[in-house]
Amino acid sequence: MILLSIELKAQVEYDYQILSVNQGLSQGMVFDALQCKDGYIWIATKGGLNRYNGYNFDVFSPDAFDPFALGASEIRKLFEDSKGRIWINHLEGIDVFIPGEGLFFHLPKPDLPIFIGWENDSSPLSFAETPDGSIWIADMEHLWRIQLSDEALQLSKKRGNAFPEYSLRKISFYQFKDSDGTFFKVKNIFFSEHYGLLAGTNNGLYHLDYKTEAFAPLTLQGYSVKIAGEESSGLLWLRVWKKNEDEGPQNLIPKVDDFEGENQIAFYDGNQVQFLKKTIGHTHLFYPRSNGNMWFLQGNVLQKWKSENLREEEAHDLHWAFKEPFLQPDDFIFKSLMIDESGLLWMGTRGYGMVKFNPEKPKFSSFLPNRTQRSIIEDPKGRLFTYMDPQYIFKDLEFEDREQNPWYISQPDIYYPTVFDEFGNGWGNNEFGTLFRI
């Protein structure tokens, strides 16, 4: 398992910040996060929708006296369309928020789906937008095509009615069956710049023509597929695993070259699929279009691979384990990841709030802790001498390779040289003001 191949060396100390109820977040269980076009960070929690401006939280909650308030408290999924409208999935249906208006419009159930479950990661709701402006929403068993015009929203606002008119087309996957007679289950949908609207299903990767609504297989029939992301070249990253026993007879699953076990990573170039050799367990995969790296989350661990390194199965570029004194690692799970425009990672947790993480190495490194160094000097050979540790000569910039200072042993009243001349002589003084040359 890739995430368990950990090098035994000190972990790099990255900068991170915990945003929890102590900082104003409405609830610690975070389901999703989104940075919208105006730069705000939106955070979906079990107890309200939060908007973060970098300093403070604005919390949106239902209000029985305001028809344009948020429709429900438990928010599960967020999506921003090309017009900047935010689509919000909660347990009462779907809301559409218009940032410039500050209004929530409601598209209620039973017409539309709800999120199926927190624990059942294989079947969350997913969103996509096609070039005609249609919003597509999928759960395991259905696909909805929604067309909601700005004119309909403005008319609804004018009437004081938060329930706008919209066009809805429902496609049931019960009409599709795979080769062993079992029904389709959709894992997620994804709009690809190269291949159009795609669906990862329990029977492979499929293409859906958004103009004709024709549903056609692309690859990996007989295997469950979830789409992780797409590179600018059109290379698709996939998570692939075997069907569950209740999804069809296992002896009818076709053999796929290089598929060696449960939960493998694969990439698809439009013609063929190539698997990585290692399995990944119950890892969450993310390949953001704007970032160009593959990110893995498992438990309290975050890892990053450059795409080319992952394809060649080389070492990861970043490994970080979230550790805090209050944290029980066995009970901690990262459940969502969002990367903002500045490159910061926002990771939702199950009960601990949001963790904001800077993947860049710190600009400053700390050495020789708990020591107040008044000064430091380098000799012509590149060796380092410090004020508070005169008994050592440090031979590298990491302060790890050191040797005894013979001057300090033979002349303990001499601290260390404070300057070196062009001939390599060290000059300094002791506490009695005596000048010396070494």
Side-chain angles (χ1 to χ4, degrees):
M1 183 178 296
I2 291 177
L3 278 171
L4 298 182
S5 56
I6 300 171
E7 298 180 24
L8 297 178
K9 62 182 181 180
Q11 173 172 285
V12 177
E13 294 297 327
Y14 292 93
D15 294 328
Y16 68 93
Q17 179 184 4
I18 301 172
L19 300 173
S20 67
V21 292
N22 294 328
Q23 286 73 41
L25 189 67
S26 63
Q27 223 273 349
M29 186 169 287
V30 175
F31 294 107
D32 199 11
L34 168 75
Q35 183 179 34
C36 59
K37 290 179 172 59
D38 59 12
Y40 286 109
I41 304 295
W42 292 83
I43 301 174
T45 77
K46 192 174 182 178
L49 178 63
N50 297 252
R51 184 176 63 188
Y52 185 61
N53 63 9
Y55 302 96
N56 304 300
F57 287 96
D58 292 321
V59 179
F60 298 89
S61 302
D63 183 349
F65 299 99
D66 182 2
F68 292 97
L70 184 65
S73 292
E74 189 164 333
I75 313 300
R76 296 302 187 100
K77 201 73 175 175
L78 301 172
F79 176 79
E80 184 183 30
D81 66 20
S82 59
K83 296 181 179 180
R85 303 179 298 188
I86 300 175
W87 295 70
I88 303 156
N89 176 221
H90 52 66
L91 295 188
E92 297 298 326
I94 291 175
D95 281 4
V96 179
F97 180 75
I98 314 301
E101 303 283 350
L103 304 176
F104 293 89
F105 295 87
H106 314 303
L107 312 181
K109 60 181 185 180
D111 295 333
L112 291 169
I114 63 171
F115 192 99
I116 289 180
W118 168 259
E119 297 296 340
N120 189 356
D121 183 63
S122 64
S123 58
L125 216 63
S126 56
F127 289 79
E129 182 179 7
T130 47
D132 64 347
S134 295
I135 303 299
W136 298 77
I137 306 174
D139 64 11
M140 288 182 65
E141 299 170 349
H142 305 94
L143 184 64
W144 286 262
R145 181 178 191 167
I146 301 174
Q147 293 176 314
L148 176 62
S149 68
D150 291 335
E151 292 75 15
L153 292 172
Q154 290 303 315
L155 181 59
S156 182
K157 173 188 173 184
K158 183 177 181 180
R159 294 173 175 175
N161 182 355
F163 297 89
E165 295 182 358
Y166 60 95
S167 172
L168 178 66
R169 163 76 174 146
K170 180 179 179 182
I171 302 173
S172 175
F173 293 114
Y174 286 127
Q175 63 183 296
F176 304 108
K177 291 185 179 181
D178 59 24
S179 58
D180 58 28
T182 56
F183 293 108
F184 273 45
K185 294 181 180 179
V186 173
K187 304 303 179 182
N188 69 333
I189 55 172
F190 180 86
F191 184 77
S192 162
E193 299 294 338
H194 295 81
Y195 312 110
L197 187 59
L198 301 177
T201 79
N202 67 329
N203 191 39
L205 180 67
Y206 275 73
H207 173 263
L208 178 64
D209 189 322
Y210 69 89
K211 296 179 181 178
T212 65
E213 298 183 357
F215 203 52
L218 288 180
T219 186
L220 291 170
Q221 276 59 63
Y223 289 78
S224 290
V225 176
K226 190 170 185 180
I227 305 164
E230 179 183 31
E231 297 188 17
S232 58
S233 64
L235 192 72
L236 286 174
W237 285 96
L238 309 171
R239 174 179 174 178
V240 183
W241 65 100
K242 289 183 179 180
K243 286 183 176 183
N244 297 325
E245 294 291 342
D246 61 353
E247 293 183 318
Q250 299 296 295
N251 62 344
L252 295 182
I253 297 177
K255 177 70 170 65
V256 176
D257 291 341
D258 297 327
F259 186 84
E260 297 183 351
E262 299 290 338
N263 286 306
Q264 282 187 249
I265 304 171
F267 50 91
Y268 174 67
D269 62 4
N271 295 305
Q272 61 182 359
V273 173
Q274 183 174 337
F275 285 90
L276 301 187
K277 295 295 183 181
K278 298 178 181 179
T279 59
I280 59 172
H282 296 289
T283 303
H284 299 277
L285 306 181
F286 303 89
Y287 190 92
R289 284 191 176 99
S290 61
N291 187 264
N293 296 303
M294 179 68 83
W295 297 88
F296 293 6
L297 293 178
Q298 186 180 55
N300 67 326
V301 173
L302 168 73
Q303 288 188 336
K304 181 190 80 172
W305 266 266
K306 293 179 181 177
S307 173
E308 60 272 21
N309 290 348
L310 185 59
R311 291 199 300 269
E312 297 298 326
E313 304 201 51
E314 297 178 358
H316 52 70
D317 300 283
L318 180 151
H319 175 96
W320 180 69
F322 178 58
K323 297 178 181 179
E324 287 288 336
F326 63 83
L327 181 66
Q328 298 295 326
D330 293 339
D331 188 47
F332 182 89
I333 298 176
F334 282 129
K335 292 295 292 184
S336 66
L337 180 144
M338 184 273 293
I339 301 179
D340 67 21
E341 293 180 353
S342 67
L344 297 178
L345 277 66
W346 300 72
M347 293 172 283
T349 73
R350 190 172 66 179
Y352 294 93
M354 179 69 74
V355 177
K356 183 173 70 170
F357 176 81
N358 186 353
E360 299 298 325
K361 292 183 179 180
K363 295 180 180 180
F364 294 94
S365 299
S366 178
F367 304 99
L368 304 176
N370 302 319
R371 309 286 284 173
T372 302
Q373 303 292 352
R374 297 183 184 178
S375 60
I376 184 172
I377 189 171
E378 182 181 21
D379 72 4
K381 297 180 180 180
R383 300 179 300 178
L384 302 174
F385 301 81
T386 65
Y387 180 86
M388 289 300 294
D389 296 278
Q391 69 273 30
Y392 298 118
I393 299 175
F394 296 94
K395 301 167 67 176
D396 67 344
L397 294 178
E398 301 294 324
F399 293 90
E400 294 180 353
D401 186 7
R402 66 187 183 184
E403 61 184 21
Q404 292 290 327
N405 184 350
W407 309 329
Y408 180 80
I409 295 174
S410 61
Q411 300 290 335
D413 60 329
I414 298 176
Y415 289 160
Y416 73 108
T418 56
V419 67
F420 286 89
D421 62 26
E422 59 182 313
F423 304 105
N425 297 313
W427 296 82
N429 66 290
N430 60 18
E431 60 181 323
F432 303 108
T434 303
L435 178 67
F436 62 85
R437 183 185 69 180
I438 298 176

